[in-house]
Amino acid sequence: MKTRAILISLFVSILSLTFLLNCGDKEKPKEEAAPVASAATLSPEVEEGKKLFLENGCNACHGDSGAGDGAAAASLNPKPRNYKAPANEWKNGPTEAGVLKTLNNGIPSNPVMTSYKFLGDEKLKKIAKYVIYLNQN
């Protein structure tokens, strides 16, 4: 009889401990606590540049992430600029001045990369900032 009472007490103790450990508020795992950077973290100027990049079809050739893999890229020769490419592969460099030069003048040896000067300086500057963002991220 004593053995049975001890076993029941032991069983109830283990069951109680199990409920105690598995119930109640839990801390979130660390991987959930750190959110991934999103488009919401872009500055307003870079966000506007992204909008202009998409509205003007830049992503058709350069792709949504700037990898040079847009829908039209497969049929183009030379291939569109991959914004992740090293600086020495850029015609005018991955700086704001270099990107603005490309947007204003196009690439004379490439009939597909034409001038976007018609958009105006303010819009071109925002697109350039977005291209630089793509290059760095």
Side-chain angles (χ1 to χ4, degrees), residues 41-78:
T41 61
L42 297 178
S43 72
E45 194 170 36
V46 173
E47 187 66 45
E48 181 66 23
K50 178 181 180 180
K51 181 180 166 194
L52 291 164
F53 182 87
L54 297 172
E55 284 176 359
N56 288 285
C58 304
N59 62 324
C61 297
H62 295 286
D64 290 335
S65 66
D69 60 352
S75 64
L76 296 176
N77 189 16

Side-chain angles (χ1 to χ4, degrees), residues 76-129:
L76 296 176
N77 189 16
K79 297 297 180 200
R81 165 67 46 233
N82 175 352
Y83 297 143
K84 304 287 187 203
N88 66 338
E89 293 182 20
W90 290 58
K91 296 277 188 214
N92 297 311
T95 63
E96 186 173 337
V99 175
L100 282 171
K101 182 177 180 181
T102 300
L103 292 171
N104 275 301
N105 304 328
I107 301 289
S109 62
N110 182 344
V112 178
M113 186 58 217
T114 61
S115 169
Y116 282 81
K117 195 173 188 94
F118 65 90
L119 291 175
D121 291 342
E122 188 178 319
K123 289 181 179 179
L124 291 183
K125 195 168 201 169
K126 290 176 182 176
I127 293 171
K129 287 185 183 291

